[in-house]
């Protein structure tokens, strides 16, 4: 794979991890409202939508080739977003 395409894929995966964290926090709020059937449907649609969104983004960038280090970048983006949000919203004494 060409280096430019790999770097774009890394950046997309990292940003997707941050985006995933934000949407997961929003989805977390939805899961605690409503009936169990509603929660299951919301979770399934959420998972399906995000996985399709990630794959279609990779399809545009690098013809849909998946590598383990793209998933590592998603985890790093998610972890960074989690760390930053926890530090920003912690009340200082």
């Amino acid at each position: 794979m060409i280096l430019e395409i790999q770097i774009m894929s890394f950046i997309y995966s990292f940003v997707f991890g941050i985006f995933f964290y934000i949407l997961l926090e929003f989805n977390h709020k939805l899961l605690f409202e409503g009936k169990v059937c509603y929660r299951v449907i919301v979770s399934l649609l959420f998972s399906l939508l995000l996985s399709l969104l990630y794959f279609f983004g990779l399809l545009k960038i690098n013809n849909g080739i998946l590598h383990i280090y793209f998933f590592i970048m998603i985890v790093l983006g998610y972890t960074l977003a989690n760390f930053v949000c926890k530090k920003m919203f912690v009340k200082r004494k």
Side-chain angles (χ1 to χ4, degrees):
M1 193 179 320
I2 300 172
L3 185 61
E4 252 180 57
I5 294 174
Q6 279 185 337
I7 291 173
M8 287 174 42
S9 298
F10 277 143
I11 292 171
Y12 175 72
S13 296
F14 186 78
V15 171
F16 188 82
I18 295 170
F19 181 68
F20 182 69
Y21 175 78
I22 293 167
L23 288 181
L24 197 60
E25 287 296 315
F26 177 70
N27 187 37
H28 184 70
K29 292 177 184 178
L30 288 178
L31 284 179
F32 288 106
E33 299 173 1
K35 299 180 180 180
V36 174
C37 182
Y38 173 73
R39 293 177 186 178
V40 170
I41 291 171
V42 167
S43 292
L44 288 174
L45 289 176
F46 177 76
S47 301
L48 182 67
L49 178 69
L50 281 181
S51 59
L52 284 174
L53 181 68
Y54 181 69
F55 184 71
F56 284 140
L58 278 184
L59 197 62
K60 290 286 187 182
I61 294 172
N62 68 0
N63 295 325
I65 299 171
L66 296 173
H67 290 287
I68 188 71
Y69 43 84
F70 295 156
F71 295 116
I72 293 170
M73 291 302 289
I74 291 174
V75 171
L76 286 175
Y78 180 87
T79 306
L80 179 73
N82 187 14
F83 178 75
V84 168
C85 286
K86 298 287 183 202
K87 289 291 183 183
M88 283 178 47
F89 295 117
V90 170
K91 294 183 181 178
R92 301 190 185 229
K93 294 181 180 180

